[in-house]
Amino acid sequence: MLKHDFASHIENLKSVTKPASAALGRYLWTFSIDNKDYWLKYHLPKTHVQSEQDFIHEQLFYEEINHQKPAWLLPHKLIEVSAIPQLNHSLGRVLILPHTDLWFGSLLSKTDLTDIYHTIWFALDKLAELHRFGWIHGDIKKEHFRKFQQNSYLIDFEKARLLSSSDSRMDATPRYMAPELFGGACKDIQSDLYAFGVVLYEWLTQTRLEASNYYDWAVLHCQNLTIQLPAQFMSFYPLLSGLLQKKQQNRFTNAAEAINCLKAVSI
């Protein structure tokens, strides 16, 4: 938990809100205190029902999980928006997080396979910990793995659900959707793992999967996706293969299986 008295110190808010997000009532700002950078996230009430519910859900997630002090959770703080005069709003709360960098950044900064191995290991370990706490993330993508003080963390829990949840809403990002989700299946551990496989595949190949519409994404993930890694990264092929199997019965059933596969990589 962040311990700063932010309400009385927040100054010089800089908006980094994208127009599409603003249209849904979602706003982001950056600010600094004592030479440390932070993000501030807020949703304007009564603008977009689903987006507002997602943001409230994330706040409740932080409150519920915080007492367990999980290693994959960034220090954070929730405060009443009315305590921040610069925002001119009176309803709801804001979420404050420290500034972080991408965990899966440029491969140019990785000097050898050992660096690649450890980058994958620590991210996968954090995902495994989330699952052990009884949650699925539900929105795994590259941007949601962050580096803070040289450690790996997960962010953006608006779609997080308990493993025991019966919530069957289809609100996944097509780029990262497991094949079964296109058929109406509920998200689960295996859909998190598939999305993680997409993250790794795009990172190791330094490419982005491409499709022009939802139907094309379905065809890509359900039929056409093949794993082609650069020669220097072929030792990670078994891991990618286990994560990106189109049929659930052939995919890793949990993160522990993926970690055991990673352990077998020769570096």
Side-chain angles (χ1 to χ4, degrees):
M1 177 72 72
L2 294 175
K3 298 180 180 180
H4 223 296
D5 180 18
F6 288 99
S8 60
H9 290 84
I10 292 178
E11 297 178 354
N12 302 317
L13 286 174
K14 178 182 178 182
S15 177
V16 290
T17 304
K18 297 178 181 178
S21 296
L24 298 176
R26 181 61 52 80
Y27 294 89
L28 284 172
W29 291 271
T30 60
F31 65 95
S32 299
I33 296 179
D34 297 335
N35 296 316
K36 294 181 180 179
D37 297 325
Y38 298 91
W39 290 79
L40 187 152
K41 182 178 180 181
Y42 175 65
H43 194 283
L44 187 66
K46 300 180 180 180
T47 305
H48 186 274
V49 174
Q50 187 59 62
S51 185
E52 181 179 3
Q53 288 178 351
D54 287 344
F55 183 53
I56 293 173
H57 174 79
E58 182 175 34
Q59 296 176 52
L60 295 175
F61 171 87
Y62 273 103
E63 290 180 334
E64 182 169 342
I65 204 72
N66 187 62
H67 71 279
Q68 300 181 59
K69 302 185 185 303
W72 39 265
L73 196 68
L74 278 170
H76 60 279
K77 194 159 190 176
L78 290 163
I79 62 175
E80 295 295 325
V81 69
S82 59
I84 307 174
Q86 299 95 314
L87 297 186
N88 298 316
H89 298 299
S90 59
L91 298 174
R93 294 185 295 178
V94 298
L95 171 64
I96 298 174
L97 297 170
H99 173 75
T100 56
D101 297 312
L102 279 175
W103 181 254
F104 290 106
S106 172
L107 279 177
L108 296 178
S109 64
K110 307 299 179 183
T111 57
D112 55 34
L113 286 182
T114 301
D115 287 340
I116 303 291
Y117 179 94
H118 286 136
T119 298
I120 296 173
W121 175 280
F122 286 116
L124 184 55
D125 184 59
K126 295 302 184 293
L127 182 57
E129 289 181 17
L130 174 65
H131 292 163
R132 285 197 293 271
F133 273 77
W135 292 83
I136 59 170
H137 188 280
D139 195 22
I140 290 294
K141 57 183 64 174
K142 180 179 73 172
E143 293 80 6
H144 294 167
F145 288 93
R146 311 302 299 185
K147 180 167 68 174
F148 178 64
Q149 297 179 349
Q150 302 307 309
N151 292 317
S152 174
Y153 294 88
L154 283 164
I155 64 168
D156 274 17
F157 299 101
E158 295 189 6
K159 309 298 184 184
R161 295 292 183 272
L162 286 167
L163 290 172
S164 58
S165 171
S166 59
D167 189 339
S168 60
R169 282 186 300 141
M170 267 307 307
D171 50 6
T173 303
R175 176 180 301 280
Y176 301 95
M177 278 176 62
E180 63 272 11
L181 299 186
F182 289 98
C186 296
K187 297 176 186 176
D188 60 10
I189 286 176
Q190 286 186 296
S191 57
D192 266 4
L193 293 176
Y194 185 91
F196 184 70
V198 174
V199 171
L200 293 188
Y201 183 70
E202 291 191 333
W203 184 59
L204 291 174
T205 60
Q206 291 292 282
T207 61
R208 280 176 62 81
L209 300 180
E210 297 292 341
S212 57
N213 54 52
Y214 187 84
Y215 174 80
D216 288 346
W217 280 118
V219 172
L220 174 66
H221 287 295
C222 297
Q223 300 179 23
N224 295 342
L225 182 62
T226 57
I227 304 169
Q228 296 177 323
L229 293 177
Q232 66 269 35
F233 300 140
M234 282 303 294
S235 55
F236 297 107
Y237 182 89
L239 174 64
L240 269 293
S241 179
L243 291 167
L244 291 173
Q245 287 293 317
K246 296 176 178 61
K247 295 183 178 181
Q248 285 182 278
Q249 62 265 34
N250 298 330
R251 197 181 311 152
F252 295 134
T253 58
N254 53 58
E257 291 183 4
I259 289 174
N260 286 335
C261 181
L262 185 59
K263 288 178 180 179
V265 172
S266 178
I267 56 175

